[in-house]
C-alpha cells in the first residue's frame, strides 16, 4: 500500500466517523423535546457530504489495495 492509498484510507475512515457522528446528532435534533431549541448545525448536509467523501475515498483506496489501478 502506497502512502497515497494509506492517506486516502485514513481520510475515508475519518469521514465515516464524522458521518456517523452527524447521523447521531441529526436523530437527536429530530427527537428533541423542546421544539423551540432548533440549533444551528446543518447535520443533514454534514452527514451527506461526509458519507459521500467516505464512500469515494474508501472505494478508491480499496480498489488500489485489491490490485486495481
Amino acid at each position: 500500500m502506497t502512502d497515497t492509498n494509506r492517506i486516502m484510507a485514513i481520510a475515508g475512515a475519518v469521514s465515516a466517523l464524522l458521518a456517523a457522528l452527524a447521523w447521531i446528532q441529526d436523530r437527536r435534533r429530530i427527537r428533541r423535546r423542546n421544539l423551540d431549541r432548533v440549533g444551528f448545525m446543518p447535520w443533514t448536509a454534514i452527514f451527506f457530504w461526509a458519507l459521500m467523501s467516505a464512500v469515494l475515498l474508501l472505494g478508491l483506496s480499496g480498489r488500489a489495495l485489491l490490485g486495481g489501478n
Side-chain angles (χ1 to χ4, degrees):
M1 182 181 268
T2 64
D3 289 338
T4 305
N5 294 334
R6 185 173 289 124
I7 290 171
M8 282 195 302
I10 292 170
V14 169
S15 293
L17 288 174
L18 179 63
L21 175 71
W23 180 55
I24 291 168
Q25 293 298 328
D26 193 34
R27 286 188 48 90
R28 186 173 167 241
R29 181 185 58 86
I30 289 171
R31 295 174 178 248
R32 67 187 181 273
R33 290 182 190 254
N34 187 357
L35 296 177
D36 292 334
R37 294 185 63 194
V38 176
F40 64 93
M41 292 297 291
W43 291 116
T44 307
I46 293 171
F47 168 73
F48 174 77
W49 291 111
L51 184 66
M52 186 67 69
S53 66
V55 167
L56 289 173
L57 288 168
L58 290 174
L60 288 173
S61 65
R63 180 180 174 201
L65 180 66
L66 294 175
N69 288 331

